[in-house]
């Protein structure tokens, strides 16, 4: 678990399919470097830490990290360049989130939340907050995966799902399905 700075491109193969992943960093100072990476992409993978709901941004201790992720997701999801681009949302750090919500309710950030302080209910609430940022739900689906990047089986399953989404999106763009 470490912070990404700059734009890092990685290429790898999963079950015979080549993936080009651009990690653009999550810090505000890195965001202006993103847009040139996004020309003609098949999908955007957006990673948000579930466990950051009671934390502040690394570079701005006046901004809640989860609120910032929601705002950024809304901006990226609704950019004109991505009107027909698949959005894959990884709600990451589920292990840390599961431990944290036993001590710190999500209502510390989301005072309108009146559900139980239980893992499944809280994940569904946060998932709904992200999905609700999609201004074009009839045309664009958000594929949500709750992940733990340190769990190899979870990562393999999720990337199998991502491979399926990306291949289907490519076939659709090519008019084959």
């Amino acid at each position: 678990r470490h912070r990404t700075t700059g734009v890092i491109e990685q290429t790898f193969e999963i079950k015979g399919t080549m993936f080009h992943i651009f990690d653009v960093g999550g810090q505000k100072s890195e965001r202006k470097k993103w847009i040139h990476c996004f020309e003609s992409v098949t999908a955007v993978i957006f990673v948000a830490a579930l466990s950051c709901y009671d934390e502040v941004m690394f570079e701005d201790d006046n901004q809640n990290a989860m609120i910032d992720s929601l705002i950024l997701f809304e901006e990226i999801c609704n950019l004109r360049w991505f009107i027909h681009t698949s959005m894959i949302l990884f709600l990451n750090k589920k292990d840390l989130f599961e431990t944290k919500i036993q001590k710190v309710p999500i209502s510390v950030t989301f005072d309108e939340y009146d559900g139980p302080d239980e893992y499944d209910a809280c994940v569904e609430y946060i998932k709904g907050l992200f999905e609700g940022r999609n201004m074009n739900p009839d045309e664009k689906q958000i594929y949500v995966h709750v992940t733990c990047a340190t769990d190899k089986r979870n990562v393999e399953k999720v990337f199998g799902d991502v491979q399926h989404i990306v291949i289907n999106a490519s076939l659709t763009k090519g008019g084959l399905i």
Side-chain angles (χ1 to χ4, degrees):
R1 299 176 195 239
H2 63 280
R3 221 173 273 287
T4 303
T5 59
V7 177
I8 299 169
E9 180 181 3
Q10 294 185 340
T11 303
F12 57 95
E13 183 178 338
I14 299 176
K15 298 180 184 175
T17 302
M18 291 301 297
F19 287 86
H20 296 276
I21 302 286
F22 295 92
D23 185 342
V24 294
Q27 298 169 334
K28 283 187 176 187
S29 61
E30 300 297 317
R31 294 178 186 169
K32 62 185 173 290
K33 301 174 186 174
W34 292 3
I35 202 64
H36 75 278
C37 295
F38 288 143
E39 240 179 284
S40 303
V41 297
T42 304
V44 172
I45 298 174
F46 189 96
V47 181
L50 277 169
S51 62
C52 74
Y53 66 92
D54 68 333
E55 300 171 12
V56 294
M57 296 288 294
F58 175 75
E59 65 275 21
D60 181 358
D61 60 9
N62 293 315
Q63 177 66 29
N64 175 279
M66 178 69 75
I67 299 299
D68 186 72
S69 288
L70 286 161
I71 292 167
L72 180 59
F73 181 79
E74 182 172 0
E75 289 174 20
I76 297 295
C77 180
N78 297 301
L79 281 172
R80 64 184 168 97
W81 296 286
F82 302 141
I83 294 298
H84 301 291
T85 303
S86 297
M87 294 295 297
I88 302 166
L89 172 63
F90 287 178
L91 295 176
N92 196 33
K93 300 186 180 182
K94 69 179 186 178
D95 54 331
L96 301 178
F97 178 75
E98 188 168 21
T99 301
K100 185 182 276 191
I101 61 166
Q102 296 172 18
K103 298 176 182 133
V104 182
I106 65 170
S107 60
V108 299
T109 299
F110 306 109
D111 55 349
E112 70 282 359
Y113 178 73
D114 61 357
D117 293 322
E118 297 169 355
Y119 175 80
D120 289 335
C122 292
V123 167
E124 283 303 309
Y125 179 76
I126 292 171
K127 177 182 168 187
L129 291 175
F130 277 94
E131 290 175 326
R133 303 296 171 130
N134 179 6
M135 300 300 166
N136 195 13
D138 294 334
E139 297 288 322
K140 178 194 295 267
Q141 183 174 352
I142 310 297
Y143 300 94
V144 183
H145 296 276
V146 180
T147 62
C148 175
T150 60
D151 179 344
K152 186 176 184 222
R153 283 194 328 263
N154 178 246
V155 170
E156 286 173 352
K157 184 208 177 301
V158 166
F159 267 94
D161 293 347
V162 168
Q163 180 183 26
H164 179 74
I165 292 163
V166 169
I167 289 170
N168 279 350
S170 292
L171 291 171
T172 301
K173 275 186 181 178
L176 299 172
I177 59 172

